[in-house]
Amino acid sequence: MNIGIFGYGTVGSGVGKLLLENQKSIEMKAGARIRTKAVAIKNPDKKRLYLDPSTVITTDPDCILKDPEIEVVLELMGGISPAKEYILEAMARGKHVITANKELMANYGKGLLETAAERKVDLYFEASVGGGIPIIHPLKESLAGNKIKKIIGIVNGTTNYILTRMSQEGMSLKEALGEAQQLGYAEADPRADLEGLDAAAKLAILSSIAFNARVVHKDVYVEGIMGISPIDIRYARELGYTIKLLAISEDGEEGIMVRVHPTMVPSNHVLAWVGDAYNAIYVMGEPVGDLMFYGRGAGSGPTASSVVGDLIDVLRNMSTGKSGRIRCTCFESKKILPIDEVESRYYIVMDVVDKPGVLAQIAGVFGRNVVSIESVIQKQREGRTDLVFILHQVKEKYVTRAIQELHDLEVVNKVLNCVRVEGPFIE
């Protein structure tokens, strides 16, 4: 079976290595010998490992797209264009496609899947979310009989590593980011990770599958970790919480809520224990109950594992004439609810004037805005006074309105941060 690969960087070379090292086992499972006939790349002069000497290395995409002997295409280059055009052209020519492209699937997945159905070819994308963690196939197949109610995930290893180091070593965000870059966990330009955009794309894909309704990247409310300070980490720990960047989606009676933001989770919950660059996806379904998928969410080996798993599945489908077996499952139309309608508990910390009556004035603002205080502690540090609040469950719009009013109080020097609080997750 001849395959063609677009892009041969970290993931592509990982696929090449896996196909080479596990060749015999993969052949037995796939029912065919897999031969990488051509690889299309930008820089033809760079040495490429784990490829057979007969593999054509080219900068011309037509060497893959127009070759009738290449029946399966692996798109591992990333980005929207020209990846989208290559995939559409490949499917138009009757080729099956496997992609790891989260950005593309989060924005154009529905159209691509519909095209695959029209052409009676497979489009698989397990590697687009969670690296080596199997999650797309379980949602589409193993859990297909369930109603998925909620997904809570740590789906970005870079930010999880940074927050872990801040929590365990007392580092600043800048220090932890520098260490992550040195170790290869963060890109030279880490904005997509730090701003939550990477996690939002993955959440759009998961939500579309879980809730059988199309959710695209722009539907996801996004808030990154740049505002999280060591003092927030410390206060969270004292209150019994750990701060994580969570991707959260819920399917409710009024519509779907999809959001990515820093979140305080109970320190005794399994998600709080997920450290360093690992990912975890917590799925709540009915009747299955609560499930957690855990593992390495990125990197050459884990991502290649998902790509090759898809490849074996595609070859099995081809050998039995069952290609196009699992089509787009977004058959429902559901409203995407705005962040203002989200109900959560909240952590709010503010720098205040240290004098009698301050708490009463702040409580008055909360009360006027239908916000109820669950607990409050006063902390003295560096010559100033912080008040740290945990609020009862309340809609976001009321908290936003209260914070706007707090800024105008003379006794409040500054509202330092507001972080949503999730959990307990199990009733």
Side-chain angles (χ1 to χ4, degrees):
M1 181 62 61
N2 292 307
I3 67 171
I5 303 177
F6 285 105
Y8 203 77
T10 301
V11 177
S13 60
V15 169
K17 182 180 181 183
L18 187 53
L19 290 175
L20 181 66
E21 292 182 347
N22 292 357
Q23 180 179 349
K24 194 72 174 177
S25 173
I26 289 170
E27 286 181 14
M28 294 299 293
K29 293 171 183 175
R33 178 176 175 270
I34 299 168
R35 176 192 175 212
T36 304
K37 188 175 183 185
V39 172
I41 40 81
K42 289 182 180 179
N43 181 4
D45 299 323
K46 186 177 178 181
K47 186 178 180 180
R48 309 289 167 171
L49 301 174
Y50 313 116
L51 291 174
D52 188 273
S54 66
T55 300
V56 175
I57 298 176
T58 180
T59 58
D60 182 6
D62 285 344
C63 284
I64 293 176
L65 296 172
K66 293 184 178 180
D67 187 340
E69 292 187 350
I70 293 177
E71 297 182 75
V72 184
V73 170
L74 277 55
E75 184 279 301
L76 306 176
M77 56 195 300
I80 299 294
S81 185
K84 180 185 174 186
E85 291 75 20
Y86 291 168
I87 288 175
L88 288 171
E89 176 70 14
M91 292 192 296
R93 292 177 179 274
K95 302 181 191 298
H96 306 280
V97 176
I98 296 160
T99 180
N101 196 326
K102 58 183 173 291
E103 186 180 3
L104 184 61
M105 293 307 296
N107 288 286
Y108 299 99
K110 186 175 189 293
L112 292 172
L113 287 165
E114 288 174 346
T115 300
E118 291 169 6
R119 299 291 179 177
K120 295 181 172 57
V121 297
D122 283 329
L123 171 60
Y124 279 27
F125 51 100
E126 183 65 66
S128 65
V129 180
I133 302 172
I135 185 65
I136 304 296
H137 281 273
L139 287 174
K140 276 186 170 288
E141 299 183 58
S142 306
L143 300 174
N146 286 262
K147 176 175 176 55
I148 305 301
K149 299 184 291 184
K150 189 170 185 177
I151 292 175
I152 306 174
I154 296 170
V155 294
N156 182 270
T158 300
T159 50
N160 201 48
Y161 181 86
I162 289 169
L163 291 171
T164 299
R165 300 300 285 164
M166 290 176 70
S167 178
Q168 293 181 353
E169 305 296 332
M171 290 183 175
S172 67
L173 189 145
K174 184 177 180 181
E175 290 170 334
L177 171 60
E179 185 173 283
Q181 288 173 321
Q182 288 178 355
L183 294 171
Y185 294 146
E187 302 289 341
D189 182 357
R191 284 177 295 179
D193 296 320
L194 298 182
E195 294 173 6
L197 301 176
D198 173 86
K202 295 170 182 174
L203 185 63
I205 295 169
L206 290 176
S207 301
S208 296
I209 298 168
F211 306 143
N212 306 121
R214 175 52 47 190
V215 178
V216 296
H217 199 168
K218 67 180 178 61
D219 292 329
V220 183
Y221 171 82
V222 185
E223 189 179 310
I225 67 167
M226 295 301 291
I228 300 299
S229 70
I231 195 64
D232 295 315
I233 300 284
R234 193 182 94 192
Y235 287 163
R237 184 186 301 114
E238 290 181 14
L239 291 164
Y241 294 95
T242 300
I243 297 179
K244 296 290 186 181
L245 181 72
L246 292 189
I248 303 171
S249 60
E250 301 172 74
D251 187 9
E253 292 183 2
E254 296 180 4
I256 299 172
M257 291 186 180
V258 277
R259 48 198 168 103
V260 170
H261 50 68
T263 312
M264 288 169 53
V265 299
S267 295
N268 62 355
H269 190 268
V270 286
L271 283 174
W273 305 341
V274 178
D276 295 327
Y278 279 83
N279 282 193
I281 301 166
Y282 196 71
V283 177
M284 301 179 187
E286 181 63 44
V288 71
D290 299 333
L291 304 170
M292 194 171 90
F293 300 80
Y294 169 82
R296 293 189 179 276
S300 175
T303 308
S305 169
S306 290
V307 172
V308 174
D310 277 351
L311 177 57
I312 292 172
D313 217 12
V314 167
L315 296 184
R316 286 169 172 167
N317 290 343
M318 293 171 67
S319 68
T320 56
K322 299 288 180 63
S323 296
R325 181 172 56 89
I326 302 175
R327 304 180 184 275
C328 181
T329 54
C330 296
F331 49 80
E332 294 187 51
S333 178
K334 295 181 180 181
K335 181 181 179 182
I336 306 296
L337 299 177
I339 190 66
D340 280 353
E341 295 301 313
V342 167
E343 287 194 18
S344 178
R345 294 160 66 226
Y346 293 83
Y347 151 96
I348 295 180
V349 58
M350 57 190 83
D351 174 7
V352 300
V353 175
D354 188 9
K355 68 177 187 180
V358 170
L359 182 57
Q361 292 186 53
I362 293 171
V365 170
F366 283 140
R368 286 193 296 274
N369 289 283
V370 204
V371 176
S372 175
I373 299 170
E374 179 179 309
S375 65
V376 58
I377 57 174
Q378 180 173 313
K379 307 292 289 187
Q380 300 294 141
R381 66 181 183 97
E382 300 171 0
R384 78 179 202 213
T385 302
D386 287 351
L387 286 181
V388 184
F389 294 87
I390 296 293
L391 306 179
H392 282 294
Q393 190 98 351
V394 63
K395 281 193 175 181
E396 176 106 3
K397 60 185 176 184
Y398 299 131
V399 175
T400 301
R401 198 167 63 196
I403 289 175
Q404 291 171 346
E405 193 173 332
L406 286 169
H407 283 298
D408 297 329
L409 280 186
E410 290 186 3
V411 296
V412 176
N413 296 322
K414 187 177 182 180
V415 177
L416 300 170
N417 212 346
C418 176
V419 178
R420 295 161 193 87
V421 179
E422 285 284 329
F425 299 105
I426 302 173
E427 297 296 334

